[in-house]
Amino acid sequence: MSQRSATAKPVLSVQNLQTSFYTDKEVIRAVDGVSFDIYRGETVGIVGESGSGKSVTARSIMGLVKSPGRIEGGRIEFEGDDLTEKSEKQWRKIRGNGISMVFQDPLTSLNPVYTVGNQIKEALRLHQNLRGKKATGEAVELLEAVGIPDARRRLREYPHEFSGGMRQRAVIAMALACDPEVLICDEPTTALDVTIQAQILELLDELKEERDLGIMFITHDMGVIAEVADRVNVMYAGEMVESAPVEELFQNPRHPYTQGLLKSIPGRAGPGERLSTIEGDVPTPNEEPTYCRFAPRCPKEFEDCNAVHPEPVSVTADANDHTAACLLYPEDVSTAEAVETHKRGDSK
Ligand code: SF4
């Protein structure tokens, strides 16, 4: 578990990010006012069901949102610079040298007609201006760093000659070729079987420590989040609904959505109990949030939930590191007082 100093500054700070997609019929507010920080040496988990806005958040940070989508508001500060003010060219440079991304399916990142070595060396040429023997030496070191044995020989192999786990290791090596400060991993282990998944999670943890990386780890799997994250942000319908250090979140989940997600982890139900599920689907966030988007699925819903938009608030007056966007919080005041706080919008 990472310990950050009180004076540390985040390497990446996302503030009130808004990314929308425009179709003929509607505007989909895929990311709607999301804020979070990532520090060096820390893994921040972003968890939620499909359609919650996790991947669009990642693509927004990478500057990879394509038409009909666009970033409409907020700031993405990387080492103090606001990326949303950068030109496409400047952003591309930062994307290459400061922030790298590992996708779910390694085959989408690897070109089948080039050897793994050629692809890593190309990344080293582009981002570190290394060529020839220097590039080969560095490529060998990178493959060794991600745990690929007999690295010099394997550089000459093609992606199809690697197993699924080895391919994902090679993609991580390519991402490291840019010598990034921040690594964004979008469901990087979903396509792998559980033993290989555990190995990749362990590898990411080692790389975080050794290279002092800030890692943003996206998944729908709470079990994976428990393994990998120092801090967890829970997303629902484009919004961040709960945020806390990982142990606190698992021991004291406050938002009814997080409570539902945790109850639905296989193995958590008692003997003879049915596995719990959250009925219904994530709604498409296609209108201003003037109410709680989780209300139609929430077992604790009450009248105000359909008329007041919950803002992220500290769950208790003295909890400065645990927030929930739910009208039931802060829990040390009456619900009526809590609702008033959310109405005024002065709760952040
Ligand atoms: S605001 Fe209401 S509907 Fe939304 S999560 Fe809280 S209790 Fe449930």
Side-chain angles (χ1 to χ4, degrees):
M1 193 67 42
S2 74
Q3 291 290 329
R4 78 171 84 115
S5 86
T7 54
K9 287 208 171 115
V11 60
L12 184 79
S13 179
V14 175
Q15 295 153 29
N16 199 22
L17 179 66
Q18 290 170 317
T19 304
S20 301
F21 289 82
Y22 286 76
T23 70
D24 291 345
K25 288 194 215 130
E26 58 188 1
V27 179
I28 298 168
R29 306 161 70 101
V31 179
D32 202 4
V34 161
S35 302
F36 63 95
D37 293 332
I38 300 179
Y39 291 80
R40 284 175 196 278
E42 171 183 73
T43 299
V44 171
I46 310 276
V47 71
E49 291 163 277
S50 300
S52 59
K54 312 180 297 286
S55 293
V56 180
T57 303
R59 288 185 166 271
S60 302
I61 295 169
M62 293 297 287
L64 291 174
V65 176
K66 297 277 176 263
S67 177
R70 61 173 185 249
I71 294 176
E72 298 208 288
R75 293 170 67 82
I76 302 169
E77 281 183 16
F78 174 67
E79 296 192 316
D81 270 346
D82 183 4
L83 300 184
T84 64
E85 290 175 353
K86 302 281 177 205
S87 66
E88 170 67 28
K89 197 172 159 199
Q90 290 169 319
W91 204 327
R92 205 176 316 132
K93 196 163 173 209
I94 292 165
R95 182 159 80 221
N97 296 335
I99 310 175
S100 289
M101 189 154 170
V102 176
F103 294 92
Q104 177 178 338
D105 180 359
L107 285 178
T108 57
S109 307
L110 292 167
N111 189 326
V113 301
Y114 292 106
T115 63
V116 169
N118 274 340
Q119 296 181 63
I120 296 176
K121 283 191 274 184
E122 175 65 3
L124 288 166
R125 185 184 67 76
L126 280 173
H127 302 298
Q128 295 194 43
N129 208 17
L130 294 182
R131 292 158 204 271
K133 281 188 183 157
K134 270 198 169 167
T136 305
E138 181 68 20
V140 169
E141 278 184 26
L142 283 171
L143 279 195
E144 283 170 349
V146 297
I148 295 185
D150 199 5
R152 198 166 284 276
R153 180 179 64 79
R154 303 224 64 168
L155 278 185
R156 295 193 292 272
E157 292 185 346
Y158 290 86
H160 74 268
E161 296 176 89
F162 279 49
S163 66
M166 285 294 168
R167 278 200 285 263
Q168 196 56 299
R169 284 175 191 265
V171 169
I172 294 170
M174 261 169 67
L176 295 178
C178 316
D179 199 15
E181 318 287 330
V182 174
L183 191 62
I184 299 179
C185 303
D186 189 358
E187 306 259 11
T189 58
T190 305
L192 305 173
D193 67 44
V194 280
T195 43
I196 307 297
Q197 174 174 301
Q199 290 169 10
I200 297 288
L201 296 182
E202 205 179 306
L203 168 67
L204 288 170
D205 204 48
E206 285 165 15
L207 293 172
K208 174 187 80 174
E209 297 291 332
E210 282 164 15
R211 295 173 180 248
D212 206 20
L213 285 173
I215 298 183
M216 172 175 162
F217 194 102
I218 295 172
T219 179
H220 63 278
D221 186 332
M222 289 302 265
V224 168
I225 278 290
E227 289 288 319
V228 79
D230 297 300
R231 176 167 200 91
V232 186
N233 295 313
V234 182
M235 281 192 79
Y236 185 79
E239 298 180 72
M240 201 67 89
V241 295
E242 185 157 11
S243 176
V246 65
E247 281 173 21
E248 164 71 4
L249 189 101
F250 275 77
Q251 279 165 17
N252 281 311
R254 299 303 226 289
H255 195 285
Y257 178 57
T258 315
Q259 291 169 350
L261 282 180
L262 288 174
K263 277 195 203 136
S264 60
I265 298 178
R268 278 214 154 198
E273 274 182 58
R274 286 176 72 94
L275 189 63
S276 161
T277 55
I278 308 171
E279 294 295 321
D281 296 312
V282 182
T284 303
N286 56 3
E287 51 188 45
E288 284 268 341
T290 53
Y291 56 95
C292 175
R293 287 183 175 145
F294 187 56
R297 304 171 77 189
C298 180
K300 297 183 180 171
E301 180 227 357
F302 55 101
E303 206 179 336
D304 287 321
C305 303
N306 294 294
V308 179
H309 179 245
E311 304 286 342
V313 294
S314 291
V315 293
T316 60
D318 55 1
N320 56 12
D321 210 17
H322 187 169
T323 61
C326 168
L327 300 183
L328 296 172
Y329 302 99
E331 67 184 7
D332 39 16
V333 298
S334 71
T335 303
E337 282 175 86
V339 171
E340 279 308 310
T341 310
H342 289 272
K343 266 190 197 163
R344 289 195 302 270
D346 61 2
S347 45
K348 284 180 207 172

